[in-house]
Every structure is written in structure tokens, then in C-alpha cells.
Amino acid sequence: MGKIVISLMSFSVTLCSNAGYAQRTAFEPSHPWPDNNGVHINAHGGGVLSHEGAYYWFGEHKIQGRRGNTAQVGVHCYRSKDLYNWQDEGVALRVSDDPDSEIVRGCIIERPKVIYNPKTKKFVMWFHLELKGQGYTAARTAVAVSDNVVGPYTFLRSFRPNAGRLPINLRDEDLVPGPNNYFLRDMETGQMARDMTLFVDENGKAYHIAASEENYTLHISLLTDDFLDFSGLFSRVLIGKHREAPAICKRQGRYYLLTSGCTGWAPNAASYAAADSIFGPYETQGNPCQGFNPENNSGPDLTFGGQSTFILPVQGKTDAFIAMFDLWQPRNPIDGTYIWLPIEWGKDNRMTIRYREKWDLSVFERQ
Ligand code: GAL
């Protein structure tokens, strides 16, 4: 008799979890975020693609220990309809076992972002690549492609972009050699490309935004129509301001570029800048963060312990954006958590990102 009860009980538990017993209905920044298998989501430095009614979150797959700061697995993908509950879709781009491959296991793959090209019907992934054993000196951008959103993605190539090109906002002084003129130093061989994001504008044009010039200046580059290459058109923005971790959104015709300072894995203060053209000029607006993260005693001066990675437009709502930050754990990277917060817009179009211990999408209804 006892046996029957036990098996009935476990049956009902299984049923419950399959029927959504553990469904999440809110975001809890900084806390572990279980996927559909109850495993903490492994998609760091990520970005989200909205495609045909679902969201796809791509990010760096980390493993335990310091070695986890290098790519041992690849880029992980998750799928969601509601942004709270994510289904594990597995590894979208896998590192290679071929020692001659640029993405051989042990290289560094960071901040992967995926966009969809409606003309070619291809999903295009760009990411920051550092070649194995070379620290952060290669500073390359890399591209991979797939016919299916969740992959597998085929690695195409990596390179330093805009070789031999001049920016559209060239100034006389940019061509004067000097010890700090990294732009000119790298003009022939291609510009450095580290922390990056992608942005597709309303007219279908896609842009690659990356920390360049030893992280002193960001480069915003138009991609070719197939999104697989650089078009040669680019601008230098936030020149000499030493910003990285770019994330961007467009609201009411204006572009908002959120960045961090450059202190490696350690948090620092965020800042945002606004422009009327994607190529700039961007005017610095200050730190959008407000409030306090009680989990780590961090406020706006430390971006609540996080670093920006992406701004996610919530589908079906106007002016609704989620700012995504990583709370890095470089000693055990797999434990890194995520801080997702809603962006609030003030009267004079000012951006505020307030820390919230728990929140849901209904905040966008009250704006
Ligand atoms: C940060 C950067 C991360 C990663 C880290 C390595 O500045 O934003 O993506 O590159 O440095 O130290």
C-alpha cells in the first residue's frame, strides 16, 4: 500500500513540474536563474534575438574555475516566450578541437550577439575573439552563420576590421602620428575589436559596435547587406573616453549607447550617451543607475556589481527596454549571475535604471 502512495506522489510531482509548477513570473536580478532543467542559465556577456514570437538568448558558456574565463565549450542558446522562463537549446556555436582553428578550445569567445537577415534568411553571429594563448592582444571580431536560429552555427572567419579605411567623422588630428594615436597605428592592419554588440536599425541596416583603439574609442561600423562583413563605413565615437561593454537602443528616433568603464571583470560606473544618428556624435548624459543592490552592497558607482552587455527591446510594447548586465564571477565564472532591469524614461528623455530586487513586465504598463 505504502509503495503505491509513494509512486503516485512522485508521479504527481513530475506532472506538476511538466505542467509548469516551477514557472517564473518575475525577474530576480543577481540571483541564480534556473532554466527549464533547473540549471542556472549559462549565457554570459549575452544578447537576445527576437524572432517569430520567441526570444533567443545567446551568451558565453562558462565552466568552473579560472579556466572558465576561456572558451571551453562555446556559445550557449536559450529560448523563451515570456522572458522569465528559458528553455535550454544547447550549444549554438561549439569550440573546435582542431589546433589550427581560430576557435580552438581555450581561445576566448566573448559577448556573442545574433541577428537575422531577412534577405538571406540566415542567422548571423558576431563575437569578440581572442586567439588561444595570446591573452587579449589579438582583439579580433569573428562571424559565424546558421540556417537555424538555435544553430549549429558555422564559424566563418575572424579579423581586425576596417583595415585601410578612414572613419566618416575623420578629423585632421586623427592622421597625426603620436604614441597614443592607436587609430593610425592600426589603420593598415585593421582596427582592434574587443567588447561588442550588434544593432539592427528600423531600415534593416545592421551595425557592429566595438571597443577599439586599446579600448579608448568605440567604433560603430555598418555591416554589408548580408551582415557577414564590414561595409567599410564606420565612425569613431566617445573618442578617448575609455569606455567598453557597449549596449544600444533606439527610442523615438534617438540612439542611446550604454557603456562601462574599463576595469576588467571588476565593476565600475556605467554611463550613457545619446545621438540623433547611429554614427554619432554621442553626447555623454551621465550614469543612469539609481538604487542599491543589497546582495552585494553595490550602488550606482559600481553598476550594482554588474557590467552592461545588451539592451533588449520587449516585443509588443512601446518604449519598453530591459538593460542586461553581467555580474561576473571571474574565480568561478559559471556562477556569474545576471542583472536585468527595466529602463525608465524621464520627461527630458533621460534614462534611469533603478535597482529592483524583484520585478515583472507590468512595470512597462505604468510608464
Ligand atoms: C572586461 C570585458 C569583458 C572581459 C573582461 C576580461 O573589461 O568587458 O567582456 O573581456 O574584461 O578581463
Side-chain angles (χ1 to χ4, degrees), residues 60 110-111 128 136 195 244-245 260-265 307 328:
E60 305 158 20
E110 287 183 345
R111 299 181 178 268
H128 166 202
Y136 279 83
D195 283 6
E244 63 178 8
S260 77
C262 300
T263 53
W265 302 118
Q307 186 183 29
W328 303 115

Side-chain angles (χ1 to χ4, degrees), residues 35-37 41 76-80 85-90:
D35 66 7
N36 60 309
N37 300 315
I41 291 173
H76 210 116
C77 176
Y78 296 82
R79 179 181 194 271
S80 175
N85 298 282
W86 292 88
Q87 183 174 310
D88 185 359
E89 296 289 348

Side-chain angles (χ1 to χ4, degrees), residues 2 27 61 83 97 106 138 147 155 212 230 313 318:
F27 302 101
H61 181 113
L83 293 171
D97 287 318
D147 291 328
F155 174 69
S212 189
F230 279 57
T318 313

Side-chain angles (χ1 to χ4, degrees), residues 227-244:
F227 300 174
L228 295 175
D229 206 348
F230 279 57
S231 70
L233 221 57
F234 79 108
S235 72
R236 301 170 65 232
V237 307
L238 303 183
I239 296 173
K241 292 212 186 310
H242 211 198
R243 308 296 300 174
E244 63 178 8

